[in-house]
Structures are given as structure tokens and as C-alpha cells.
């Protein structure tokens, strides 16, 4: 995907579905990986995709790599499918909400 219009559309779509800020996502990734006695190092917290979303949020559009574009497309597709109004369970569905928050989307903020 190298067409500027496609990248612009993906950038807009990604920032539409990723409604958590960088600090919110970073905090969530640390909390979601913490247990009763330990907390992961900040750069090792969360899933690989969650860390990649966080890195993308800290980039300018002109600095995106092909790998970034792939992850952005996956996130947009996943969040869009999970938030389909016809199939959407209650926003308070905690396991679903937590999975989406790992991708930077908090259904309660939508």
C-alpha cells in the first residue's frame, strides 16, 4: 500500500477507531500485564500489537513503515468488526472491552 490517498484514508480510519491517547494506552498495557507482585517494564508491557499501536500513535504520517501500515489495517478491521452495531454486545462487556483496549479502542469512550 503506497498510494498516498490510501495511506491518508488508512491514517484517518486508524485514528478514528483508536480513541485512546498514547498515555492512556501505555498505562492500560502496563496495567493489563501486571499481576499481584510484578509489573512489566514499560517497553515490554502488553501484546506485540498493542505496543505497535502505541508506537504508531507516536509517529508522524510521513514516518510510517510498511509494517505500520499492515498493523493499522489489522486494527481498523478488527475494531470495526468488533463494534458492528448489529453484533455489538453491551459496551460494558468487560472481556471484549479489554481486548479492544489492547488495540487502543475503548468502547466506553465511543
Amino acid at each position: 500500500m503506497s498510494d498516498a490517498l490510501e495511506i491518508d484514508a488508512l491514517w484517518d480510519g486508524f485514528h478514528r477507531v483508536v480513541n485512546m491517547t498514547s498515555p492512556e494506552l501505555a498505562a492500560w498495557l502496563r496495567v493489563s500485564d501486571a499481576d499481584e507482585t510484578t509489573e512489566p517494564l514499560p517497553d515490554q508491557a502488553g501484546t506485540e500489537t498493542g505496543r505497535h499501536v502505541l508506537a504508531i500513535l507516536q509517529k508522524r504520517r510521513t514516518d510510517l513503515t510498511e509494517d505500520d501500515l499492515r498493523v493499522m489495517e489489522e486494527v481498523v478491521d478488527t475494531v470495526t468488526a468488533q463494534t458492528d452495531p448489529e453484533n455489538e454486545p453491551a459496551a460494558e462487556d468487560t472481556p471484549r472491552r479489554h481486548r479492544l483496549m489492547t488495540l487502543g479502542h475503548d468502547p466506553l469512550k465511543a
Side-chain angles (χ1 to χ4, degrees):
M1 173 186 294
S2 60
D3 179 60
L5 291 176
E6 290 178 15
I7 293 172
D8 288 346
L10 180 57
W11 177 267
D12 293 341
F14 177 80
H15 284 85
R16 180 180 37 82
V17 300
V18 175
N19 63 1
M20 295 171 71
T21 64
S22 295
E24 289 171 333
L25 179 56
W28 169 251
L29 293 175
R30 285 191 308 274
V31 167
S32 68
D33 261 11
D35 63 27
E36 290 182 19
T37 59
T38 62
E39 184 176 320
L41 295 171
D43 61 339
Q44 297 175 357
T47 64
E48 182 178 339
T49 303
R51 289 190 306 270
H52 202 142
V53 169
L54 183 59
I56 292 168
L57 287 174
Q58 298 167 346
K59 288 186 175 189
R60 296 176 305 186
R61 186 182 324 210
T62 56
D63 296 332
L64 296 173
T65 65
E66 288 297 321
D67 198 36
D68 294 337
L69 297 173
R70 180 190 55 76
V71 169
M72 290 170 68
E73 195 167 351
E74 287 176 14
V75 169
V76 170
D77 290 347
T78 300
V79 171
T80 301
Q82 295 268 334
T83 57
D84 178 13
E86 295 197 14
N87 298 325
E88 186 166 357
E92 295 81 18
D93 177 1
T94 302
R96 177 182 155 275
R97 178 178 181 227
H98 289 177
R99 281 191 307 275
L100 289 170
M101 287 175 69
T102 300
L103 298 176
H105 178 80
D106 185 349
L108 296 182
K109 288 180 77 172

